[in-house]
Amino acid sequence: MNHFYISYMKWTTIILSICLGLTSCSEETTGNEDKTLEDTVLSIDLTQTYQQMEGFGASDAWSAQYVGNWPDATKSAIADLLFSTAVDDEGNPEGIGLNIWRFNIGAGSKAQGAGSDINDLWRRTEGFLQEDGTYDWTQQSGQRWFLQAAKQRGVQKFIGFSNSAPVQMTKNGKANTSAAQQSNLDPSEFENFAEFLTYVTVQLQTEGITLDELSPVNETQWDWDKSSEQEGCPFTNEEVANLVRKLDSKLTEKGLSTKIEITEAGQIDYLYQSGTNRPDKDNQIAEFFGSGSNYVADLSHMSDFVAGHSYWTTEQSNLAPMRKELWSKIKEVNPNLKYNMSEYCIMGDSEEGIDGNGKDLSIDMGLYLARVMHYDLTEANASAWQWWIAMSPYDYKDGLVYIDKSEVNGGYQTSKMLYTLGNYSRFVKNGMQRVHTNQLFGKTNDDPFTQKRIMASAYMNNDEVVVVLVNYNNYEYTIQFDFDGQLANNEMKMYRTSRSEDLSFIGTQEVSQDIVVAPQSVTTYVIKK
């Protein structure tokens, strides 16, 4: 069967579903009224606008320190996949066009070897600060190659982030703590750490890289002891506020424009809930941007972004309600704040039995990623969205590009997660605004039915409208776009990621023509105004 028309009556749908084995009867019959022609029309209201988009990115941790020193042909090909906005002779994008790049400011655990308490060599980092108190600006050369490669390919925003202060400053002389959930940085070192981050910012600026934002702490709620197998440091909200005040002062002294990004919460509920299992480290929106003793929003270098991570909140039952609550809290505390989903990779989902372990290059994980993105963008109103590690050597669902774990040279593979992210990052440009769409099948965006069918979002600027459709189902649907009588005769270019396509250009047609949405696909429609 090539086309499944949504206007079929529900009993026809159920019979076909049984025959094809694609959907259970109970799913189709629960609250599912007879479908009408209107269910196939996606209405897009260009007058109803939401957040302004800043862009999409990923981080260089930890692999760029090695890949950036690989042979030019290999590392340049990987950089093209991540950052390029060029197209080939057939109109296919050559890269996913990330416009945000996160630079990991290392704590220097690599020089400690096995004594670092980090068994994996690739998770140890180089550090600019040396034992004698001097700075070695030849360090992190591989990562700095990627900074320049990103800039050459048009990346617009750079964020420097730190998981730990330099080991020379920490209580135990290491980049993770000896006491779980206890800060490894004594308050007497806060000013030195702030000065270190400022020095790094100044140095990179001399190399032509402006750090638009500095993120001094990361996921302060977690233990970050040696069992974490990476650099990390817990902080209480009070400690974060004190550190941020020191950093603001140092940035001001140097006349830098760099903003400070917090909170990098390990789960989004730590942003808006109090009384969690991490006391003194939760309710961070109110703590830092409200009116309490940890208020820092009035500092001259404070970013107007609240940063959070979507880990452990991506089950179907959590996708919409948790993100609605997050956005509601942001607007309650300060309507001028924006939200940055600053880190995510697929770790686990108890409802669907998804485990972060095991590399998976398939469309299944691409669709899962696209669904998380859809709800981060449409319910949490994220203005920016960033993946965790751009290049992964691991047997884990954490990579856009997968690489051989070689310090000097190696091969690479692409994943469907790379390309489904590209369906957003390549076309939803900085400065676009998200606009209102209905959802198909007579359902709302937060209905579980929608999460397993087609999820639609749309964005616009003065020149273009971009619509992204995520079809989670095995069915092929035929729908129509309705812009309230506008744009019907305008040209529309289409780009699709599916089992057999990787962000492929699939043709051009007029907006008024029927749109065939392929099974298990993410498709982007770019409409010239």
Side-chain angles (χ1 to χ4, degrees), residues 34 51 82 282 308 388:
D34 291 349
Q51 78 269 29
L82 295 171
D282 58 10
W388 174 215

Side-chain angles (χ1 to χ4, degrees), residues 76-279:
S76 293
I78 293 173
D80 285 341
L81 285 169
L82 295 171
F83 309 124
S84 177
T85 57
V87 296
D88 65 18
D89 292 340
E90 297 178 348
N92 299 302
E94 294 183 352
I96 67 168
L98 299 179
N99 71 324
I100 301 172
W101 189 239
R102 298 178 68 88
F103 174 75
N104 182 17
I105 302 172
S109 57
K110 184 177 180 181
Q112 297 178 315
S116 65
D117 283 338
I118 301 172
N119 291 326
D120 185 349
L121 172 65
W122 279 54
R123 294 190 179 196
R124 304 171 194 160
T125 69
E126 297 177 358
F128 295 118
L129 184 63
Q130 303 302 294
E131 287 296 332
D132 62 0
T134 63
Y135 284 76
D136 180 358
W137 298 118
T138 68
Q139 297 291 302
Q140 300 191 233
S141 60
Q143 294 174 249
R144 288 152 79 188
W145 184 90
F146 266 96
L147 283 174
Q148 297 297 336
K151 182 179 180 180
Q152 291 164 10
R153 289 162 177 79
V155 168
Q156 299 166 318
K157 182 173 183 176
F158 295 94
I159 301 171
F161 72 98
S162 172
N163 293 323
S164 167
V167 294
Q168 296 87 351
M169 299 178 186
T170 62
K171 293 177 182 177
N172 62 2
K174 297 180 181 181
N176 46 40
T177 186
S178 297
Q181 297 185 37
Q182 298 298 311
S183 178
N184 197 27
L185 189 65
D186 191 271
S188 63
E189 292 286 354
F190 282 13
E191 185 164 357
N192 289 332
F193 182 34
E195 188 168 65
F196 164 79
L197 293 172
T198 305
Y199 281 166
V200 172
T201 303
V202 170
Q203 174 61 29
L204 292 178
Q205 195 159 295
T206 68
E207 299 172 16
I209 301 295
T210 296
L211 293 183
D212 300 275
E213 292 182 354
L214 270 173
S215 175
V217 299
N218 176 64
E219 297 184 344
T220 57
Q221 296 82 16
W222 303 145
D223 290 350
W224 297 126
D225 57 8
K226 65 180 181 180
S227 65
S228 66
E229 286 289 357
Q230 66 180 75
E231 296 182 348
C233 185
F235 290 94
T236 64
N237 290 339
E238 183 179 3
E239 289 170 330
V240 172
N242 289 337
L243 174 60
V244 163
R245 293 183 186 113
K246 301 285 188 185
L247 181 55
D248 180 78
S249 177
K250 295 296 180 182
L251 293 171
T252 299
E253 286 178 14
K254 295 293 184 182
L256 296 170
S257 61
T258 301
K259 297 293 186 181
I260 303 168
E261 178 185 77
I262 53 174
T263 63
E264 307 285 3
Q267 293 178 184
I268 60 174
D269 47 335
Y270 291 130
L271 290 171
Y272 60 81
Q273 282 187 352
S274 59
T276 69
N277 61 345
R278 293 294 186 267

Side-chain angles (χ1 to χ4, degrees), residues 316 320-321 324 375 379 439 444-451:
Q316 282 184 269
K324 283 178 182 288
Y375 282 92
E379 297 293 354
Q439 298 299 320
T444 59
N445 192 45
D446 57 359
D447 193 306
F449 186 95
T450 299
Q451 298 172 8

Side-chain angles (χ1 to χ4, degrees), residues 374-441:
H374 172 80
Y375 282 92
D376 282 336
L377 295 169
T378 60
E379 297 293 354
N381 287 276
S383 293
W385 199 98
Q386 289 121 63
W387 181 257
W388 174 215
I389 54 175
M391 298 163 281
S392 173
Y394 298 110
D395 186 22
Y396 204 85
K397 297 176 181 67
D398 59 355
L400 300 177
V401 178
Y402 283 88
I403 56 171
D404 295 335
K405 200 171 187 181
S406 168
E407 297 175 35
V408 295
N409 193 11
Y412 62 91
Q413 294 174 289
T414 59
S415 70
K416 292 296 182 180
M417 294 183 289
L418 172 78
Y419 294 112
T420 56
L421 171 54
N423 277 95
Y424 292 92
S425 60
R426 178 62 179 77
F427 306 105
V428 180
K429 298 172 182 175
N430 177 282
M432 281 188 162
Q433 279 193 291
R434 186 171 69 85
V435 298
H436 183 74
T437 66
N438 75 308
Q439 298 299 320
L440 297 165
F441 319 107

Side-chain angles (χ1 to χ4, degrees), residues 288-308:
F288 298 127
F289 300 96
S291 57
S293 61
N294 294 320
Y295 178 73
V296 291
D298 61 342
L299 298 177
S300 60
H301 291 275
M302 182 56 58
S303 170
D304 57 0
F305 275 98
V306 175

Side-chain angles (χ1 to χ4, degrees), residues 323-337:
R323 285 154 181 79
K324 283 178 182 288
E325 195 165 354
L326 167 60
W327 185 243
S328 176
K329 188 68 170 184
I330 288 173
K331 302 312 287 181
E332 172 193 327
V333 171
N334 184 341
N336 295 319
L337 288 174

